[in-house]
Amino acid sequence: MKVVIIGAGAMGSIYGGFLAEAGNEVYFLDVFQEHIDNINKDGLWIEGTSGDRYIKNIRATSDPSEVGVVDLAIVFVKSTITDLAIKSNQAVIGENTVVLTLQNGLGNIEKIKTVVKEGQIISGTTSHGANLLGPGRVKHAGHGATVIGELNGETTDRIKKIADVFRDAKLEPVSVSDNVMGLIWDKLLVNVGINPMTAITGLKNGEILDYPELESLAEEAVNEAMLVADASGITLETPDAVTHFKEISRVTGENVSSMLSDVINKRRTEIDNINGAIVREGEKHNIKTPVNALLTRLVKLKEEQY
Ligand code: NAD
């Protein structure tokens, strides 16, 4: 399969690397020139949970015309720049291209829709974890499940085929869901609790639960988000989102969340696509979300202090 990764940072490099190793024709489209140059010169270095190796059969570029039209485009930029990345790279999308987003947060599908027909978009969630170590070098920090699905919930031939391509690339476990929006919101609700609390306090994921004040604030944020999910017509796969958020905080207790990592590295966070998105969706349905609004403002204050 001819595949392009739009935004081949930490996660894009893992998916693209595995797909290339399995013999797919893989291209990386990114704007990080040193990363592109190192991959083209020496290959992509992956280390960590899946072993240490160079993957040489990847062509990296910042120019979509060097890639041409692909079968599958996987969008893995941060949610803050999905609109820019999809518009500037739309030359790789033909009428039969399927565009997959496995990004965190809300709003990615809507942004992709501004240049891609809705019927060509599929979505999902990933429980892999990765960090970019430097140009051309990525750490596979955790191997987890990939769940993909059609936006209308149908189990089509193309979604089964893409799941098989992922399985053949050793990205197992891979499954197809008929409720992909429910899964995206499940993950969103966990991030609503963990991400801002860790970004604001500098604590690791599990440490939130050591402080009753923080734990209850995170619970309130998740409860608000559950009301918004319900009003938005979302059927959560994990209905008790508060228990789920605490479970994930515990299981990933030693991890630095992606939002805290962004704050530490003075990068723009995905707060507008997580708690900020809950506030915006809440407004549409007349649901008050004061805790999410406050957390959004506090994380933005952090960003202003860089
Ligand atoms: P990242 O910052 O490592 O990678 C993003 C890449 O996009 C970078 O290489 C950057 O150079 C590139 N980019 C920026 N502008 C671009 C443009 N205009 N066109 C093409 N490329 C561009 O981010 P990440 O950690 O891989 O996260 C990507 C998404 O996956 C986020 O939504 C994140 O929340 C989600 N996610 C991350 C993890 C993780 O462990 N890192 C786990 C699950 C989900």
Side-chain angles (χ1 to χ4, degrees), residues 125 147 177 179-188 235 237:
T125 57
V147 187
S177 168
N179 180 23
V180 81
M181 292 314 296
L183 286 169
I184 290 170
W185 275 76
D186 279 355
K187 197 164 181 205
L188 175 72
T235 307
E237 288 283 304

Side-chain angles (χ1 to χ4, degrees), residues 6-12 29-32 35 76-79 81 84-85 88-89 102-104 126 128-132 187 258 267 270:
I6 300 178
M11 291 297 284
L29 263 175
D30 207 290
V31 292
F32 183 6
H35 187 49
F76 251 137
V77 291
K78 293 274 193 182
S79 302
I81 53 154
L84 176 72
S88 55
N89 291 308
L102 293 172
Q103 300 155 282
N104 279 333
T126 170
H128 284 268
N131 312 103
L132 203 61
K187 197 164 181 205
S258 58
R267 292 185 302 240
E270 293 182 307

Side-chain angles (χ1 to χ4, degrees), residues 18-31:
F18 273 65
L19 289 166
E21 264 183 324
N24 293 287
E25 182 184 348
V26 174
Y27 296 83
F28 281 5
L29 263 175
D30 207 290
V31 292

Side-chain angles (χ1 to χ4, degrees), residues 14-304:
I14 294 299
Y15 275 77
F18 273 65
L19 289 166
E21 264 183 324
N24 293 287
E25 182 184 348
V26 174
Y27 296 83
F28 281 5
L29 263 175
D30 207 290
V31 292
F32 183 6
Q33 195 57 48
E34 254 187 293
H35 187 49
I36 292 170
D37 293 343
N38 284 6
I39 291 169
N40 289 333
K41 190 166 150 278
D42 301 321
L44 170 73
W45 171 253
I46 297 185
E47 65 178 60
T49 180
S50 53
D52 302 352
R53 71 274 195 203
Y54 274 110
I55 297 161
K56 306 259 185 188
N57 58 327
I58 296 168
R59 171 94 184 104
T61 176
S62 58
D63 179 359
S65 72
E66 284 183 25
V67 177
V69 169
V70 298
D71 302 314
L72 175 65
I74 307 180
V75 183
F76 251 137
V77 291
K78 293 274 193 182
S79 302
T80 48
I81 53 154
T82 301
D83 41 0
L84 176 72
I86 196 81
K87 281 192 183 109
S88 55
N89 291 308
Q90 59 178 299
V92 301
I93 298 161
E95 56 185 32
N96 295 317
T97 304
V98 176
V99 180
L100 166 65
T101 162
L102 293 172
Q103 300 155 282
N104 279 333
L106 281 194
N108 293 302
I109 295 169
E110 289 67 24
K111 286 173 189 162
I112 295 169
K113 260 191 223 170
T114 61
V115 293
V116 181
K117 287 195 192 116
E118 184 168 349
Q120 289 178 245
I121 306 170
I122 62 174
S123 191
T125 57
T126 170
S127 303
H128 284 268
N131 312 103
L132 203 61
L133 299 172
R137 298 171 57 238
V138 66
K139 178 167 181 183
H140 193 189
H143 193 104
T146 305
V147 187
I148 57 173
E150 296 280 356
L151 302 185
N152 64 8
E154 283 177 22
T155 305
T156 55
D157 287 343
R158 71 175 184 186
I159 202 88
K160 287 194 274 188
K161 187 174 171 196
I162 292 167
D164 282 340
V165 168
F166 282 6
R167 285 188 196 107
D168 290 345
K170 299 202 174 93
L171 286 160
E172 287 272 34
V174 179
S175 55
V176 173
S177 168
D178 61 2
N179 180 23
V180 81
M181 292 314 296
L183 286 169
I184 290 170
W185 275 76
D186 279 355
K187 197 164 181 205
L188 175 72
L189 266 49
V190 169
N191 287 332
V192 156
I194 295 178
N195 276 359
M197 307 312 296
T198 51
I200 293 162
T201 60
L203 295 172
K204 289 182 180 168
N205 292 0
E207 290 171 337
I208 302 172
L209 307 178
D210 295 340
Y211 298 88
E213 304 85 348
L214 289 180
E215 185 179 354
S216 65
L217 199 57
E219 269 180 35
E220 284 177 47
V222 177
N223 274 324
E224 285 180 3
M226 277 172 69
L227 294 176
V228 175
D230 192 40
S232 306
I234 301 295
T235 307
L236 295 174
E237 288 283 304
T238 312
D240 187 352
V242 170
T243 305
H244 190 212
F245 136 72
K246 289 187 191 173
E247 203 177 287
I248 303 290
S249 299
R250 253 179 240 113
V251 172
T252 63
E254 283 304 303
N255 290 11
V256 170
S257 76
S258 58
M259 197 172 282
L260 174 56
S261 166
D262 285 339
V263 167
I264 292 169
N265 292 297
K266 300 193 182 340
R267 292 185 302 240
R268 191 174 160 201
T269 71
E270 293 182 307
I271 191 72
D272 275 333
N273 303 85
I274 299 177
N275 303 77
I278 296 298
V279 177
R280 285 193 306 280
E281 289 301 307
E283 279 165 5
K284 284 188 202 161
H285 302 287
N286 277 327
I287 294 173
K288 294 208 182 320
T289 54
V291 176
N292 281 283
L294 175 70
L295 295 176
T296 304
R297 286 162 74 176
L298 289 174
V299 173
K300 282 177 177 284
L301 183 67
K302 282 266 173 201
E303 293 179 355
E304 280 165 27

